[in-house]
Amino acid sequence: MKIVINGKKYPLAESLQRATLNDLYALKLQTGMGMKSLRETLQRMKDYEDQADFLEEAENMQAFRGMIWLCRRAAGEFLTVEEANNDPLVEIGFENDEEAPVAETDPKAQAGSAPDVEPVPAA
């Protein structure tokens, strides 16, 4: 899943996984949340039919702000939490990842077998 801000796409899972200890410390200082509470709060987002309802609670809003900040930071945008979240809500959305096409395998190839290699001539 990606978050889209002003038309730019940021990968959610990858961005959260790339957070450094410095990022996590700054996140805690600026939002009061650690990574565990951030993830748990964001997981609850899917329980809301309307995102506006999710943003009614301060903890949820802080998690959303932290997620946007971490995504932008992972993309090389070194902004404060306030700067990273200064976009209108109408410019923020989500996009599901497209399913990767399934590669067809050669039925003759067996798992663990060596690839086709020309034999080495005997000396």
Side-chain angles (χ1 to χ4, degrees):
M1 177 170 279
K2 293 178 179 65
I3 187 164
V4 182
I5 304 168
N6 287 323
K8 186 171 180 182
K9 299 174 185 180
Y10 302 86
L12 281 175
E14 181 183 323
S15 297
L16 296 179
Q17 291 168 353
R18 293 184 59 201
T20 66
L21 285 175
N22 287 333
D23 293 337
L24 297 179
Y25 183 69
L27 176 74
K28 183 72 171 181
L29 290 177
Q30 294 185 48
T31 67
M33 302 187 96
M35 185 61 84
K36 182 179 177 184
S37 49
L38 176 76
R39 287 180 191 260
E40 288 172 354
T41 304
L42 293 173
Q43 282 293 323
R44 289 195 308 260
M45 185 186 301
K46 64 184 173 195
D47 297 338
Y48 292 82
E49 289 182 33
D50 187 351
Q51 285 182 354
D53 292 336
F54 176 79
L55 295 175
E56 282 294 310
E57 297 177 37
E59 180 181 35
N60 295 350
M61 196 177 303
Q62 283 291 70
F64 197 69
R65 293 175 74 230
M67 174 192 63
I68 289 172
W69 179 74
L70 284 173
C71 287
R72 294 184 81 167
R73 193 161 176 93
E77 299 175 33
F78 293 98
L79 308 167
T80 66
V81 170
E82 289 76 20
E83 292 167 338
N85 289 282
N86 205 21
D87 296 292
L89 285 176
V90 297
E91 297 294 332
I92 301 172
F94 293 93
E95 181 181 281
N96 288 321
D97 292 328
E98 295 178 19
E99 290 187 26
V102 178
E104 293 187 30
T105 57
D106 182 358
K108 296 178 199 171
Q110 295 179 5
S113 65
D116 293 334
V117 178
E118 291 187 29
V120 177

